[in-house]
Amino acid sequence: MTTPPPFHPRSRGGSARGRQVSSRRVRDLILASIRNGTIDIDAQLVEEDLMIMFNSSRGSVRAALNELSETGVVIRRPRVGTRVNRRDLGVALDDISATGGELVHIQVTDQCIVPSFPLIRERLQIDDDVVRLVENSFIANDEIIGMRSAYFSPRFNADPNDLRDKPMSMARTLAEFFGVAPGGASVSIGAERADERTARLLDVRPGETLLSREILYTTADGTPVEIVFDRFRADRIRFESQIDNSDVTWCAEPEHSPVPEESLRTNEISQESDPEGPVRLAQPG
């Protein structure tokens, strides 16, 4: 039997205490290591090394790698080994620009005028009988990663194809396409199954789970300008957001010390002897 290395989990007496025994936890750690570059793309993944890195068991590491293989993150070949195949793309939660260094471009697939309806009129605060609809695909690394259906007032008549060869961000879109100062965004995230048309556009199987996102974009003065419905390949992207609370001052509430029982008795005596105290009605004899 091979003697395990000095820092191998099995050299510590075989106890699972303190180890990442869950394959789900190991999977999370491997995936996060691939995402942030701790594990390089095309790197060979050796089970023994991962067991030491994550202080885990062989069974958990093997199960985690099998799960990642099923989603295409890694490729496992008998007698060849396991290597990283790809990492998903980090996309800003309220935007379409990538945060991982890769650039996102669009390809317009359809644009037309459609009848307005209550939801759009209410969200965009408009009274138009018709609205513009623009559909486009998001492309990164020469691959379609998602698609968007965008609704906005017909008074914005610019050609979305003018943005086709430029790295996408909503700040640029609002400024160059809509001609307004960028403001805020209201975001709702969910998941849905791909219908046949969407599956064909995204090159996935019908019924496959997609990440869905609804965003209402506003101008700098808070005026709604566009509502969009996005669908992304869940195996290609992840949403990212950063929150900075460094300017928030927090102080713990002071603890209230209990009032000594002696003080309570003294206070009761004081009230009873105080002529200015509450009037007590004499009980009938």
Side-chain angles (χ1 to χ4, degrees), residues 118-180:
L119 171 69
I120 298 299
R121 289 195 293 268
E122 178 183 351
R123 298 297 302 277
L124 295 181
Q125 299 177 13
I126 60 176
D127 296 322
D128 300 308
D129 294 329
V130 296
V131 291
R132 282 192 71 183
L133 165 63
V134 174
E135 288 192 340
N136 55 258
S137 300
F138 299 141
I139 302 174
N141 299 322
D142 299 322
E143 182 180 37
I144 296 178
I145 60 171
M147 58 178 292
R148 163 170 289 185
S149 298
Y151 296 87
F152 50 91
S153 171
R155 67 186 177 88
F156 300 109
N157 56 10
D159 185 356
N161 286 296
D162 293 340
L163 300 172
R164 180 175 52 190
D165 297 324
K166 301 177 180 178
M168 288 307 303
S169 75
M170 280 309 298
R172 170 179 280 122
T173 300
L174 291 172
E176 297 184 10
F177 181 83
F178 291 100
V180 298

Short mmCIF file of all heavy atoms in Angstrom, two decimals, residues 118-180:
data_model
loop_
_atom_site.label_atom_id
_atom_site.label_comp_id
_atom_site.label_asym_id
_atom_site.label_seq_id
_atom_site.Cartn_x
_atom_site.Cartn_y
_atom_site.Cartn_z
N PRO A 118 -50.53 46.97 -21.57
CA PRO A 118 -50.52 47.62 -20.25
C PRO A 118 -49.21 47.55 -19.50
O PRO A 118 -48.77 48.55 -18.92
CB PRO A 118 -51.65 46.90 -19.50
CG PRO A 118 -52.58 46.46 -20.57
CD PRO A 118 -51.72 46.10 -21.74
N LEU A 119 -48.55 46.37 -19.48
CA LEU A 119 -47.31 46.25 -18.73
C LEU A 119 -46.27 47.24 -19.22
O LEU A 119 -45.65 47.96 -18.41
CB LEU A 119 -46.76 44.83 -18.85
CG LEU A 119 -45.34 44.63 -18.29
CD1 LEU A 119 -45.34 44.74 -16.78
CD2 LEU A 119 -44.73 43.32 -18.74
N ILE A 120 -46.08 47.31 -20.54
CA ILE A 120 -45.06 48.21 -21.09
C ILE A 120 -45.42 49.66 -20.84
O ILE A 120 -44.56 50.46 -20.45
CB ILE A 120 -44.89 47.94 -22.60
CG1 ILE A 120 -44.40 46.51 -22.84
CG2 ILE A 120 -43.92 48.95 -23.22
CD1 ILE A 120 -43.06 46.21 -22.22
N ARG A 121 -46.68 50.01 -21.05
CA ARG A 121 -47.08 51.41 -20.83
C ARG A 121 -46.89 51.80 -19.36
O ARG A 121 -46.44 52.91 -19.06
CB ARG A 121 -48.54 51.62 -21.26
CG ARG A 121 -48.76 51.58 -22.76
CD ARG A 121 -50.12 52.14 -23.12
NE ARG A 121 -51.20 51.29 -22.63
CZ ARG A 121 -51.76 50.31 -23.33
NH1 ARG A 121 -51.31 50.04 -24.54
NH2 ARG A 121 -52.75 49.60 -22.82
N GLU A 122 -47.20 50.88 -18.46
CA GLU A 122 -47.06 51.18 -17.04
C GLU A 122 -45.60 51.28 -16.64
O GLU A 122 -45.20 52.23 -15.94
CB GLU A 122 -47.75 50.10 -16.21
CG GLU A 122 -47.61 50.31 -14.71
CD GLU A 122 -48.23 49.19 -13.91
OE1 GLU A 122 -48.91 48.33 -14.51
OE2 GLU A 122 -48.02 49.15 -12.68
N ARG A 123 -44.78 50.31 -17.06
CA ARG A 123 -43.38 50.32 -16.65
C ARG A 123 -42.60 51.47 -17.27
O ARG A 123 -41.72 52.05 -16.64
CB ARG A 123 -42.71 48.99 -17.02
CG ARG A 123 -43.30 47.76 -16.35
CD ARG A 123 -43.16 47.79 -14.83
NE ARG A 123 -41.80 47.89 -14.36
CZ ARG A 123 -40.96 46.87 -14.24
NH1 ARG A 123 -41.38 45.65 -14.57
NH2 ARG A 123 -39.75 47.04 -13.79
N LEU A 124 -42.91 51.81 -18.54
CA LEU A 124 -42.19 52.89 -19.22
C LEU A 124 -42.86 54.24 -19.03
O LEU A 124 -42.31 55.26 -19.46
CB LEU A 124 -42.08 52.59 -20.71
CG LEU A 124 -41.24 51.37 -21.10
CD1 LEU A 124 -41.20 51.21 -22.62
CD2 LEU A 124 -39.82 51.49 -20.55
N GLN A 125 -44.04 54.24 -18.41
CA GLN A 125 -44.77 55.49 -18.15
C GLN A 125 -45.01 56.25 -19.46
O GLN A 125 -44.71 57.45 -19.58
CB GLN A 125 -44.02 56.35 -17.14
CG GLN A 125 -43.83 55.69 -15.79
CD GLN A 125 -43.02 56.52 -14.81
OE1 GLN A 125 -42.78 57.72 -15.04
NE2 GLN A 125 -42.59 55.91 -13.71
N ILE A 126 -45.56 55.55 -20.45
CA ILE A 126 -45.86 56.14 -21.75
C ILE A 126 -47.31 55.86 -22.11
O ILE A 126 -47.95 54.98 -21.52
CB ILE A 126 -44.94 55.60 -22.85
CG1 ILE A 126 -45.10 54.07 -22.98
CG2 ILE A 126 -43.48 55.96 -22.57
CD1 ILE A 126 -44.31 53.46 -24.11
N ASP A 127 -47.83 56.62 -23.10
CA ASP A 127 -49.20 56.43 -23.58
C ASP A 127 -49.22 56.00 -25.05
O ASP A 127 -50.26 56.03 -25.69
CB ASP A 127 -50.01 57.72 -23.43
CG ASP A 127 -50.19 58.12 -21.96
OD1 ASP A 127 -50.37 57.20 -21.13
OD2 ASP A 127 -50.13 59.32 -21.65
N ASP A 128 -48.07 55.60 -25.58
CA ASP A 128 -47.99 55.24 -27.00
C ASP A 128 -48.83 54.00 -27.29
O ASP A 128 -48.89 53.06 -26.49
CB ASP A 128 -46.53 54.97 -27.39
CG ASP A 128 -45.64 56.18 -27.18
OD1 ASP A 128 -45.99 57.26 -27.67
OD2 ASP A 128 -44.61 56.03 -26.49
N ASP A 129 -49.46 54.00 -28.46
CA ASP A 129 -50.23 52.83 -28.90
C ASP A 129 -49.31 51.72 -29.40
O ASP A 129 -49.72 50.55 -29.44
CB ASP A 129 -51.21 53.22 -30.00
CG ASP A 129 -52.29 54.17 -29.50
OD1 ASP A 129 -52.65 54.07 -28.31
OD2 ASP A 129 -52.76 55.01 -30.29
N VAL A 130 -48.10 52.09 -29.81
CA VAL A 130 -47.14 51.11 -30.30
C VAL A 130 -45.80 51.35 -29.61
O VAL A 130 -45.54 52.43 -29.08
CB VAL A 130 -46.97 51.18 -31.83
CG1 VAL A 130 -48.26 50.82 -32.54
CG2 VAL A 130 -46.49 52.58 -32.25
N VAL A 131 -44.95 50.31 -29.61
CA VAL A 131 -43.60 50.43 -29.06
C VAL A 131 -42.63 49.75 -30.02
O VAL A 131 -43.03 48.92 -30.85
CB VAL A 131 -43.49 49.76 -27.66
CG1 VAL A 131 -44.26 50.55 -26.63
CG2 VAL A 131 -43.94 48.32 -27.71
N ARG A 132 -41.36 50.11 -29.90
CA ARG A 132 -40.33 49.44 -30.68
C ARG A 132 -39.87 48.19 -29.95
O ARG A 132 -39.71 48.19 -28.73
CB ARG A 132 -39.13 50.36 -30.91
CG ARG A 132 -39.33 51.41 -31.99
CD ARG A 132 -38.02 52.07 -32.35
NE ARG A 132 -37.12 51.18 -33.08
CZ ARG A 132 -35.89 51.51 -33.46
NH1 ARG A 132 -35.41 52.71 -33.15
NH2 ARG A 132 -35.14 50.65 -34.11
N LEU A 133 -39.68 47.15 -30.72
CA LEU A 133 -39.12 45.90 -30.20
C LEU A 133 -37.84 45.60 -30.97
O LEU A 133 -37.85 45.55 -32.21
CB LEU A 133 -40.11 44.74 -30.38
CG LEU A 133 -39.55 43.32 -30.22
CD1 LEU A 133 -39.03 43.09 -28.80
CD2 LEU A 133 -40.59 42.29 -30.58
N VAL A 134 -36.76 45.42 -30.23
CA VAL A 134 -35.48 45.02 -30.83
C VAL A 134 -35.02 43.75 -30.15
O VAL A 134 -34.93 43.70 -28.92
CB VAL A 134 -34.41 46.13 -30.69
CG1 VAL A 134 -33.06 45.63 -31.21
CG2 VAL A 134 -34.83 47.38 -31.45
N GLU A 135 -34.73 42.73 -30.94
CA GLU A 135 -34.17 41.49 -30.41
C GLU A 135 -32.74 41.34 -30.91
O GLU A 135 -32.46 41.63 -32.08
CB GLU A 135 -35.00 40.28 -30.84
CG GLU A 135 -36.34 40.18 -30.13
CD GLU A 135 -37.01 38.84 -30.34
OE1 GLU A 135 -36.64 38.14 -31.30
OE2 GLU A 135 -37.90 38.51 -29.54
N ASN A 136 -31.88 40.92 -30.03
CA ASN A 136 -30.48 40.72 -30.43
C ASN A 136 -29.87 39.58 -29.63
O ASN A 136 -30.36 39.18 -28.58
CB ASN A 136 -29.65 41.99 -30.26
CG ASN A 136 -29.70 42.56 -28.86
OD1 ASN A 136 -30.41 43.52 -28.61
ND2 ASN A 136 -28.95 41.99 -27.93
N SER A 137 -28.79 39.05 -30.15
CA SER A 137 -28.01 38.01 -29.48
C SER A 137 -26.78 38.63 -28.86
O SER A 137 -26.21 39.59 -29.41
CB SER A 137 -27.61 36.92 -30.47
OG SER A 137 -28.74 36.31 -31.05
N PHE A 138 -26.35 38.08 -27.72
CA PHE A 138 -25.10 38.48 -27.09
C PHE A 138 -24.03 37.49 -27.50
O PHE A 138 -24.22 36.27 -27.38
CB PHE A 138 -25.23 38.50 -25.56
CG PHE A 138 -26.26 39.46 -25.06
CD1 PHE A 138 -27.08 39.11 -23.98
CD2 PHE A 138 -26.43 40.70 -25.64
CE1 PHE A 138 -28.04 40.00 -23.51
CE2 PHE A 138 -27.38 41.59 -25.17
CZ PHE A 138 -28.18 41.24 -24.10
N ILE A 139 -22.89 37.98 -27.93
CA ILE A 139 -21.81 37.12 -28.42
C ILE A 139 -20.53 37.43 -27.65
O ILE A 139 -20.14 38.58 -27.51
CB ILE A 139 -21.58 37.33 -29.93
CG1 ILE A 139 -22.88 37.03 -30.70
CG2 ILE A 139 -20.44 36.46 -30.44
CD1 ILE A 139 -22.79 37.35 -32.17
N ALA A 140 -19.89 36.38 -27.14
CA ALA A 140 -18.60 36.50 -26.47
C ALA A 140 -17.75 35.30 -26.87
O ALA A 140 -18.24 34.17 -26.94
CB ALA A 140 -18.78 36.54 -24.95
N ASN A 141 -16.49 35.56 -27.15
CA ASN A 141 -15.58 34.49 -27.58
C ASN A 141 -16.13 33.74 -28.79
O ASN A 141 -16.05 32.52 -28.89
CB ASN A 141 -15.31 33.51 -26.43
CG ASN A 141 -14.65 34.18 -25.24
OD1 ASN A 141 -13.81 35.06 -25.40
ND2 ASN A 141 -15.03 33.76 -24.05
N ASP A 142 -16.76 34.52 -29.72
CA ASP A 142 -17.32 33.96 -30.95
C ASP A 142 -18.42 32.94 -30.69
O ASP A 142 -18.65 32.04 -31.51
CB ASP A 142 -16.21 33.32 -31.81
CG ASP A 142 -15.15 34.31 -32.24
OD1 ASP A 142 -15.53 35.46 -32.55
OD2 ASP A 142 -13.96 33.95 -32.25
N GLU A 143 -19.11 33.08 -29.58
CA GLU A 143 -20.18 32.15 -29.23
C GLU A 143 -21.36 32.92 -28.68
O GLU A 143 -21.21 33.89 -27.94
CB GLU A 143 -19.67 31.15 -28.18
CG GLU A 143 -20.68 30.10 -27.78
CD GLU A 143 -20.11 29.16 -26.74
OE1 GLU A 143 -19.35 29.62 -25.85
OE2 GLU A 143 -20.43 27.96 -26.80
N ILE A 144 -22.57 32.51 -29.08
CA ILE A 144 -23.78 33.14 -28.55
C ILE A 144 -24.00 32.68 -27.11
O ILE A 144 -24.11 31.48 -26.85
CB ILE A 144 -25.01 32.81 -29.41
CG1 ILE A 144 -24.85 33.39 -30.82
CG2 ILE A 144 -26.27 33.37 -28.77
CD1 ILE A 144 -26.00 33.05 -31.75
N ILE A 145 -24.05 33.63 -26.19
CA ILE A 145 -24.23 33.30 -24.78
C ILE A 145 -25.61 33.68 -24.26
O ILE A 145 -26.01 33.25 -23.19
CB ILE A 145 -23.15 33.98 -23.91
CG1 ILE A 145 -23.23 35.51 -24.05
CG2 ILE A 145 -21.77 33.47 -24.26
CD1 ILE A 145 -22.38 36.26 -23.08
N GLY A 146 -26.33 34.52 -25.02
CA GLY A 146 -27.65 34.95 -24.55
C GLY A 146 -28.37 35.74 -25.62
O GLY A 146 -27.85 35.99 -26.71
N MET A 147 -29.60 36.14 -25.28
CA MET A 147 -30.40 36.94 -26.20
C MET A 147 -31.25 37.91 -25.40
O MET A 147 -31.47 37.73 -24.20
CB MET A 147 -31.30 36.04 -27.05
CG MET A 147 -32.24 35.15 -26.28
SD MET A 147 -33.29 34.16 -27.35
CE MET A 147 -34.31 35.46 -28.08
N ARG A 148 -31.69 38.96 -26.08
CA ARG A 148 -32.46 40.02 -25.41
C ARG A 148 -33.63 40.45 -26.27
O ARG A 148 -33.50 40.57 -27.50
CB ARG A 148 -31.56 41.22 -25.11
CG ARG A 148 -32.31 42.52 -24.81
CD ARG A 148 -31.40 43.61 -24.29
NE ARG A 148 -30.94 43.29 -22.93
CZ ARG A 148 -30.22 44.12 -22.17
NH1 ARG A 148 -29.83 45.29 -22.66
NH2 ARG A 148 -29.86 43.77 -20.96
N SER A 149 -34.77 40.70 -25.61
CA SER A 149 -35.92 41.36 -26.23
C SER A 149 -36.09 42.69 -25.50
O SER A 149 -36.32 42.70 -24.28
CB SER A 149 -37.19 40.52 -26.10
OG SER A 149 -37.04 39.28 -26.77
N ALA A 150 -35.96 43.80 -26.22
CA ALA A 150 -36.00 45.13 -25.61
C ALA A 150 -37.18 45.92 -26.15
O ALA A 150 -37.44 45.92 -27.37
CB ALA A 150 -34.70 45.89 -25.90
N TYR A 151 -37.92 46.58 -25.25
CA TYR A 151 -39.07 47.39 -25.62
C TYR A 151 -38.81 48.84 -25.18
O TYR A 151 -38.35 49.08 -24.06
CB TYR A 151 -40.34 46.88 -24.94
CG TYR A 151 -40.75 45.49 -25.35
CD1 TYR A 151 -40.23 44.36 -24.69
CD2 TYR A 151 -41.66 45.29 -26.38
CE1 TYR A 151 -40.61 43.08 -25.05
CE2 TYR A 151 -42.04 44.01 -26.76
CZ TYR A 151 -41.51 42.91 -26.09
OH TYR A 151 -41.88 41.64 -26.45
N PHE A 152 -39.16 49.78 -26.07
CA PHE A 152 -38.99 51.20 -25.74
C PHE A 152 -39.87 52.03 -26.66
O PHE A 152 -40.42 51.53 -27.65
CB PHE A 152 -37.52 51.62 -25.85
CG PHE A 152 -36.85 51.22 -27.13
CD1 PHE A 152 -36.83 52.08 -28.22
CD2 PHE A 152 -36.21 49.99 -27.25
CE1 PHE A 152 -36.20 51.72 -29.41
CE2 PHE A 152 -35.59 49.61 -28.42
CZ PHE A 152 -35.58 50.48 -29.50
N SER A 153 -39.99 53.31 -26.33
CA SER A 153 -40.87 54.21 -27.07
C SER A 153 -40.39 54.39 -28.51
O SER A 153 -39.19 54.44 -28.77
CB SER A 153 -40.90 55.58 -26.38
OG SER A 153 -41.58 56.52 -27.18
N PRO A 154 -41.32 54.48 -29.48
CA PRO A 154 -40.93 54.68 -30.88
C PRO A 154 -40.29 56.03 -31.16
O PRO A 154 -39.76 56.25 -32.25
CB PRO A 154 -42.25 54.51 -31.64
CG PRO A 154 -43.32 54.82 -30.64
CD PRO A 154 -42.79 54.33 -29.33
N ARG A 155 -40.33 56.94 -30.18
CA ARG A 155 -39.67 58.23 -30.41
C ARG A 155 -38.16 58.07 -30.49
O ARG A 155 -37.46 58.95 -31.01
CB ARG A 155 -40.04 59.24 -29.32
CG ARG A 155 -39.53 58.92 -27.93
CD ARG A 155 -40.09 59.90 -26.92
NE ARG A 155 -39.69 59.60 -25.56
CZ ARG A 155 -38.57 60.05 -24.99
NH1 ARG A 155 -37.75 60.81 -25.67
NH2 ARG A 155 -38.29 59.74 -23.74
N PHE A 156 -37.63 56.96 -30.00
CA PHE A 156 -36.21 56.65 -30.16
C PHE A 156 -36.08 55.84 -31.46
O PHE A 156 -36.46 54.68 -31.52
CB PHE A 156 -35.68 55.83 -28.97
CG PHE A 156 -35.79 56.53 -27.65
CD1 PHE A 156 -36.72 56.11 -26.71
CD2 PHE A 156 -34.98 57.63 -27.35
CE1 PHE A 156 -36.82 56.74 -25.48
CE2 PHE A 156 -35.08 58.27 -26.13
CZ PHE A 156 -36.01 57.83 -25.20
N ASN A 157 -35.55 56.47 -32.50
CA ASN A 157 -35.56 55.86 -33.82
C ASN A 157 -34.17 55.54 -34.37
O ASN A 157 -34.00 55.37 -35.57
CB ASN A 157 -36.32 56.73 -34.82
CG ASN A 157 -35.74 58.14 -34.88
OD1 ASN A 157 -34.67 58.41 -34.32
ND2 ASN A 157 -36.43 59.06 -35.54
N ALA A 158 -33.16 55.47 -33.49
CA ALA A 158 -31.82 55.15 -33.96
C ALA A 158 -31.75 53.68 -34.40
O ALA A 158 -32.61 52.87 -34.07
CB ALA A 158 -30.80 55.42 -32.85
N ASP A 159 -30.72 53.35 -35.16
CA ASP A 159 -30.53 52.00 -35.68
C ASP A 159 -29.64 51.22 -34.72
O ASP A 159 -28.47 51.58 -34.52
CB ASP A 159 -29.89 52.06 -37.07
CG ASP A 159 -29.79 50.68 -37.72
OD1 ASP A 159 -30.14 49.68 -37.07
OD2 ASP A 159 -29.35 50.62 -38.88
N PRO A 160 -30.12 50.14 -34.11
CA PRO A 160 -29.30 49.37 -33.17
C PRO A 160 -28.08 48.73 -33.83
O PRO A 160 -27.12 48.38 -33.15
CB PRO A 160 -30.26 48.31 -32.64
CG PRO A 160 -31.32 48.20 -33.68
CD PRO A 160 -31.46 49.57 -34.25
N ASN A 161 -28.10 48.57 -35.16
CA ASN A 161 -26.94 48.00 -35.85
C ASN A 161 -25.71 48.90 -35.74
O ASN A 161 -24.59 48.43 -35.97
CB ASN A 161 -27.28 47.74 -37.31
CG ASN A 161 -28.19 46.54 -37.49
OD1 ASN A 161 -27.82 45.41 -37.17
ND2 ASN A 161 -29.41 46.79 -37.95
N ASP A 162 -25.94 50.18 -35.41
CA ASP A 162 -24.80 51.09 -35.24
C ASP A 162 -23.92 50.68 -34.05
O ASP A 162 -22.76 51.10 -33.95
CB ASP A 162 -25.29 52.53 -35.04
CG ASP A 162 -25.95 53.08 -36.30
OD1 ASP A 162 -25.70 52.53 -37.40
OD2 ASP A 162 -26.73 54.05 -36.19
N LEU A 163 -24.48 49.88 -33.13
CA LEU A 163 -23.73 49.43 -31.95
C LEU A 163 -23.14 48.04 -32.14
O LEU A 163 -22.50 47.51 -31.23
CB LEU A 163 -24.64 49.43 -30.72
CG LEU A 163 -25.28 50.77 -30.32
CD1 LEU A 163 -26.29 50.54 -29.21
CD2 LEU A 163 -24.22 51.77 -29.90
N ARG A 164 -23.33 47.47 -33.32
CA ARG A 164 -23.03 46.05 -33.51
C ARG A 164 -21.58 45.69 -33.27
O ARG A 164 -21.28 44.69 -32.65
CB ARG A 164 -23.43 45.65 -34.93
CG ARG A 164 -23.18 44.18 -35.25
CD ARG A 164 -23.72 43.85 -36.62
NE ARG A 164 -23.21 44.80 -37.62
CZ ARG A 164 -23.67 44.87 -38.87
NH1 ARG A 164 -24.67 44.07 -39.24
NH2 ARG A 164 -23.16 45.73 -39.72
N ASP A 165 -20.64 46.49 -33.73
CA ASP A 165 -19.22 46.13 -33.64
C ASP A 165 -18.52 46.76 -32.44
O ASP A 165 -17.29 46.75 -32.36
CB ASP A 165 -18.50 46.54 -34.92
CG ASP A 165 -19.04 45.80 -36.14
OD1 ASP A 165 -19.39 44.61 -35.99
OD2 ASP A 165 -19.12 46.41 -37.22
N LYS A 166 -19.28 47.29 -31.50
CA LYS A 166 -18.70 47.93 -30.33
C LYS A 166 -18.92 47.06 -29.09
O LYS A 166 -19.97 46.44 -28.95
CB LYS A 166 -19.33 49.30 -30.10
CG LYS A 166 -19.16 50.26 -31.28
CD LYS A 166 -19.86 51.59 -31.01
CE LYS A 166 -19.70 52.55 -32.17
NZ LYS A 166 -20.42 53.83 -31.93
N PRO A 167 -17.93 47.00 -28.22
CA PRO A 167 -18.14 46.28 -26.95
C PRO A 167 -19.34 46.87 -26.21
O PRO A 167 -19.47 48.08 -26.09
CB PRO A 167 -16.85 46.53 -26.18
CG PRO A 167 -15.83 46.83 -27.24
CD PRO A 167 -16.58 47.55 -28.32
N MET A 168 -20.23 45.99 -25.75
CA MET A 168 -21.50 46.45 -25.23
C MET A 168 -21.44 46.83 -23.76
O MET A 168 -20.80 46.17 -22.96
CB MET A 168 -22.56 45.36 -25.42
CG MET A 168 -22.99 45.18 -26.87
SD MET A 168 -23.51 46.73 -27.65
CE MET A 168 -24.82 47.23 -26.56
N SER A 169 -22.15 47.89 -23.45
CA SER A 169 -22.48 48.26 -22.07
C SER A 169 -23.71 49.14 -22.16
O SER A 169 -23.92 49.85 -23.16
CB SER A 169 -21.33 49.00 -21.39
OG SER A 169 -21.24 50.33 -21.86
N MET A 170 -24.54 49.11 -21.14
CA MET A 170 -25.76 49.92 -21.19
C MET A 170 -25.46 51.40 -21.05
O MET A 170 -26.23 52.24 -21.51
CB MET A 170 -26.73 49.47 -20.10
CG MET A 170 -27.52 48.22 -20.48
SD MET A 170 -28.33 48.33 -22.12
CE MET A 170 -29.45 49.70 -21.85
N ALA A 171 -24.34 51.75 -20.44
CA ALA A 171 -23.97 53.17 -20.38
C ALA A 171 -23.78 53.71 -21.80
O ALA A 171 -24.27 54.79 -22.14
CB ALA A 171 -22.70 53.35 -19.56
N ARG A 172 -23.09 52.93 -22.64
CA ARG A 172 -22.89 53.34 -24.03
C ARG A 172 -24.22 53.34 -24.79
O ARG A 172 -24.52 54.25 -25.57
CB ARG A 172 -21.89 52.43 -24.72
CG ARG A 172 -21.83 52.66 -26.24
CD ARG A 172 -20.82 51.77 -26.94
NE ARG A 172 -19.48 52.31 -26.78
CZ ARG A 172 -18.48 51.66 -26.23
NH1 ARG A 172 -18.67 50.43 -25.78
NH2 ARG A 172 -17.29 52.22 -26.13
N THR A 173 -25.03 52.30 -24.58
CA THR A 173 -26.30 52.21 -25.29
C THR A 173 -27.22 53.37 -24.96
O THR A 173 -27.82 53.98 -25.85
CB THR A 173 -27.01 50.88 -24.94
OG1 THR A 173 -26.17 49.79 -25.32
CG2 THR A 173 -28.33 50.76 -25.67
N LEU A 174 -27.34 53.70 -23.66
CA LEU A 174 -28.20 54.81 -23.27
C LEU A 174 -27.69 56.13 -23.81
O LEU A 174 -28.47 56.99 -24.24
CB LEU A 174 -28.32 54.86 -21.75
CG LEU A 174 -29.10 53.71 -21.09
CD1 LEU A 174 -28.98 53.77 -19.58
CD2 LEU A 174 -30.56 53.77 -21.51
N ALA A 175 -26.38 56.31 -23.81
CA ALA A 175 -25.81 57.57 -24.28
C ALA A 175 -25.85 57.70 -25.79
O ALA A 175 -26.26 58.74 -26.34
CB ALA A 175 -24.38 57.71 -23.77
N GLU A 176 -25.44 56.63 -26.53
CA GLU A 176 -25.29 56.74 -27.97
C GLU A 176 -26.56 56.39 -28.73
O GLU A 176 -26.83 56.97 -29.78
CB GLU A 176 -24.14 55.84 -28.43
CG GLU A 176 -22.78 56.24 -27.86
CD GLU A 176 -21.65 55.39 -28.42
OE1 GLU A 176 -21.89 54.62 -29.38
OE2 GLU A 176 -20.54 55.49 -27.88
N PHE A 177 -27.32 55.42 -28.24
CA PHE A 177 -28.53 55.00 -28.95
C PHE A 177 -29.73 55.84 -28.53
O PHE A 177 -30.47 56.36 -29.37
CB PHE A 177 -28.80 53.52 -28.70
CG PHE A 177 -30.03 53.00 -29.41
CD1 PHE A 177 -29.95 52.59 -30.73
CD2 PHE A 177 -31.25 52.92 -28.75
CE1 PHE A 177 -31.08 52.12 -31.39
CE2 PHE A 177 -32.37 52.46 -29.41
CZ PHE A 177 -32.30 52.05 -30.73
N PHE A 178 -29.95 55.99 -27.22
CA PHE A 178 -31.11 56.73 -26.73
C PHE A 178 -30.82 58.23 -26.57
O PHE A 178 -31.75 59.02 -26.48
CB PHE A 178 -31.58 56.16 -25.40
CG PHE A 178 -32.18 54.79 -25.51
CD1 PHE A 178 -31.45 53.66 -25.19
CD2 PHE A 178 -33.49 54.63 -25.95
CE1 PHE A 178 -32.00 52.40 -25.30
CE2 PHE A 178 -34.05 53.37 -26.07
CZ PHE A 178 -33.30 52.24 -25.74
N GLY A 179 -29.55 58.61 -26.49
CA GLY A 179 -29.21 60.02 -26.34
C GLY A 179 -29.60 60.59 -24.99
O GLY A 179 -29.99 61.75 -24.89
N VAL A 180 -29.52 59.77 -23.93
CA VAL A 180 -29.88 60.22 -22.60
C VAL A 180 -28.73 59.93 -21.65
O VAL A 180 -27.86 59.10 -21.92
CB VAL A 180 -31.17 59.53 -22.10
CG1 VAL A 180 -32.35 59.86 -23.00
CG2 VAL A 180 -30.97 58.02 -21.99
#
